[in-house]
Each structure stands twice: as C-alpha cells, then as structure tokens.
Amino acid sequence: MQVLSSAVLPGVQRIHIIVALGYVASPIAEFLTFVMATEWGLRGGESVPVWAQRLLGTQIDPPILSMALFGINALAFAVSAPMWAALCRYIEPRRVMAICLLLQVPLLITIFPVYPRIEMALLLVFLHGMVTSGSFLFLVFNFMMSIKADMSEYAVRLGALEMMRYVVTWLLTGYIFVASPSSKMGTKEQPIPTSISLLLLPVGLIMILLTAIPGGLLFFAPGPYRGDRFPAWNLDLIYQKRSFILLLISDCVGSLALFPGTCYITWWLSNGWSSANLSRLSVLFAFILAGGTFLWAAALKNASVHG
C-alpha cells in the first residue's frame, strides 16, 4: 500500500489514507442523520410541543422542519468546533480523531424502528453536529508527515479529498431519490416501518466500515499523531493577517447559501420532476462536481508552482 499510495499522490503515507477515510465518512453520517431526523419529525405526530412552537409553529411543516434541523446542526457546529480544536492542544491527535470517528458508530441505531417524536429529531441532529464538527481535523491532519516544501502537492491532495466527498454526497442523494423512504407508509403503532430501516441499512453498513475500522486503526497512528499538538490560539494574528479575515468572510458567505441551495429539490418536484429523474441528475452532478474539483486542484497546483 505504501508503494501504491506514493505512486498516486507523492508524500502520502498509509496513515493519510486512513485519515482521508475519516474525512469521507462525515457526509455519510450526515446523510443518515438528516434522513432519519426528517422521518422522525414528520412521523412524530401532527402537534408541536409548546416549547418548540415559537420555532416551528403549531403544526409540523416539512420546509419549516428542514430549516429547524439545518439551523440546529449549524448551532452544534458553532459550539463544538472550538471544543475539538481545544482538545487537540492537550490530547494526542490520534486519540481525538479516533474518538470522533467511533462516536459516529452509534448512529446506526437510529435506523431501527422507534416511536418518533419531534424532540428526538432535534436532539439527534444536535448531537450529530457536535460529533461531526470535528471532521475538519481529518483535513488538517491529513498533511502531517508530508514534505512541507512542495505546496503544490497539497492542492492535489485537497482536491482529491473534496472530490471524494462531493461524489459520495451526490451518489447518496441519488440513492435516496430512488429509495424514497418518505413514501413508505407506517401505522399508528409503528410510524417508522421496517422497510425504511432496510433501505438505509446498506448506507449504515458503509458508515460503519468508514468509521469503526479507521477509528480503531487511528489508535496505532505513528510519530507526529502521538507527539504533536495544536499551538495556542494567537487570535491577535487575525488583525495582522488580512487574508485570515477574508477567508473567514468568504467561508461565512458561502455557508449562507447552503440551505437555500437545497431548495432546488422542492422546486424541481413542484415542476413535475420524478424521483427517478432527480436520481439520475444527482449522479450526473456527482461526476460534474468531481471533474470541476479536479480542475480546481490542478489550477491551484499550477498557481502555487508558477505564481
């Protein structure tokens, strides 16, 4: 594997492949969580608890539920991302990443039939956001033990990681259009039918493979993953490096478009598109975005070499 990985991307160690798998596992866990939280919310009764009525209204409405789940997930990210960064100042990176992955394994339980409630859906998304907010660590630590002189190879590896995430995300989207769990009818005694669990079981098994196995192997990560730590926060550098502020603003502006960007699905369905058509379109988007990410990485590599 050492020879193979070095031939594909220079400077890539076996541990980098394991860390990369942890980064790719994040959208799978997010997909599984949001699908089940949506089903729990929509099938958890027609009335909304009094404490949540100011947020969701008195009746459960699918668009409002999606906004609530998206917002709570973002809140969990905002609260927990600094926590994961702080842990890396005092705990070995291999342990932090292993814990982050292994905490996603219990998500598989959510696919089994339960009697759902809207409170369960909101709590599930919040806990998921707290755990997967540490996914950025797998991007940061994927460059340890690498040659630091050649930044061009970093661009290629970053492009490869993002390309895999885009492909995984859109292929899962295509699968959910074909499976259509929301169309499976439940009963009053069992609102979540067994058929939904069977549809999501393959996704859950893939998530287990990409979390449990790399999570266990990360405990045996070599050198820098044992001894290195994050430096101090050094927040005063924000005012000395304007590029930091620009990167922060660009990331925030890009994130503002995430939820509105998901509304295209509702627009397409309202215009008569079938789930099968949307599934094929999702697969097409997966390869288009993969190709675009590859071109972006190649351009960034070229810019880092030639200026």
Side-chain angles (χ1 to χ4, degrees):
M1 182 180 288
Q2 178 69 41
V3 176
L4 176 62
S5 61
S6 298
V8 176
L9 289 176
V12 175
Q13 309 282 341
R14 283 176 290 184
I15 184 61
H16 294 149
I17 298 177
I18 296 175
V19 175
L21 291 177
Y23 187 61
V24 175
S26 177
I28 301 178
E30 182 174 358
F31 165 85
L32 193 62
T33 299
F34 270 84
V35 169
M36 289 311 304
T38 301
E39 295 298 326
W40 285 1
L42 295 177
R43 300 171 186 260
E46 297 181 356
S47 61
V48 178
V50 176
W51 63 268
Q53 288 183 4
R54 292 178 62 88
L55 176 65
L56 302 175
T58 58
Q59 299 293 322
I60 296 177
D61 184 63
I64 298 298
L65 176 63
S66 297
M67 292 176 63
L69 295 178
F70 198 90
I72 290 176
N73 185 67
L75 175 63
F77 264 73
V79 171
S80 304
M83 177 195 71
W84 287 108
L87 287 175
C88 290
R89 294 189 59 195
Y90 306 102
I91 303 177
E92 297 177 7
R94 62 182 179 126
R95 298 184 184 275
V96 177
M97 290 189 292
I99 292 172
C100 182
L101 282 180
L102 295 178
L103 285 176
Q104 298 179 44
V105 174
L107 286 175
L108 185 63
I109 301 175
T110 64
I111 71 173
F112 295 109
V114 297
Y115 195 86
R117 295 177 59 87
I118 183 65
E119 298 96 321
M120 294 169 55
L122 299 176
L123 179 61
L124 173 62
V125 170
F126 185 80
L127 293 177
H128 161 266
M130 290 187 66
V131 173
T132 57
S133 62
S135 60
F136 75 97
L137 297 176
F138 296 91
L139 186 62
V140 173
F141 289 127
N142 196 263
F143 297 99
M144 297 179 73
M145 301 177 61
S146 299
I147 301 175
K148 298 179 173 57
D150 189 2
M151 294 295 295
S152 63
E153 299 302 334
Y154 288 7
V156 175
R157 194 185 307 177
L158 181 61
L161 291 174
E162 292 299 327
M163 183 171 62
M164 286 190 293
R165 280 174 63 95
Y166 280 132
V167 170
V168 168
T169 300
W170 281 98
L171 289 180
L172 288 174
T173 302
Y175 174 76
I176 207 64
F177 280 130
V178 173
S180 188
S182 296
S183 65
K184 308 302 178 184
M185 301 300 294
T187 63
K188 186 176 181 180
E189 294 75 20
Q190 190 180 11
I192 304 291
T194 306
S195 57
I196 291 182
S197 300
L198 295 177
L199 287 174
L200 297 178
L201 184 60
V203 180
L205 293 178
I206 293 174
M207 188 197 72
I208 292 296
L209 291 176
L210 294 179
T211 53
I213 296 177
L217 292 175
L218 278 171
F219 282 110
F220 304 97
Y225 291 93
R226 299 170 181 262
D228 286 5
R229 300 291 187 276
F230 271 8
W233 296 100
N234 294 330
L235 296 178
D236 55 322
L237 292 178
I238 294 179
Y239 303 100
Q240 301 179 22
K241 299 290 185 179
R242 295 181 180 179
S243 58
F244 292 173
I245 299 178
L246 293 176
L247 287 173
L248 175 64
I249 294 175
S250 66
D251 193 44
C252 291
V253 172
S255 297
L256 288 175
L258 287 179
F259 179 77
T262 63
C263 296
Y264 65 89
I265 297 177
T266 303
W267 182 78
W268 278 336
L269 291 174
S270 300
N271 279 273
W273 286 62
S274 66
S275 297
N277 290 333
L278 292 180
S279 177
R280 288 191 289 269
L281 193 62
S282 298
V283 174
L284 178 62
F285 278 172
F287 290 102
I288 291 177
L289 289 173
T293 306
F294 173 79
L295 295 176
W296 165 78
L300 190 59
K301 175 183 178 179
N302 183 71
S304 64
V305 172
H306 303 289

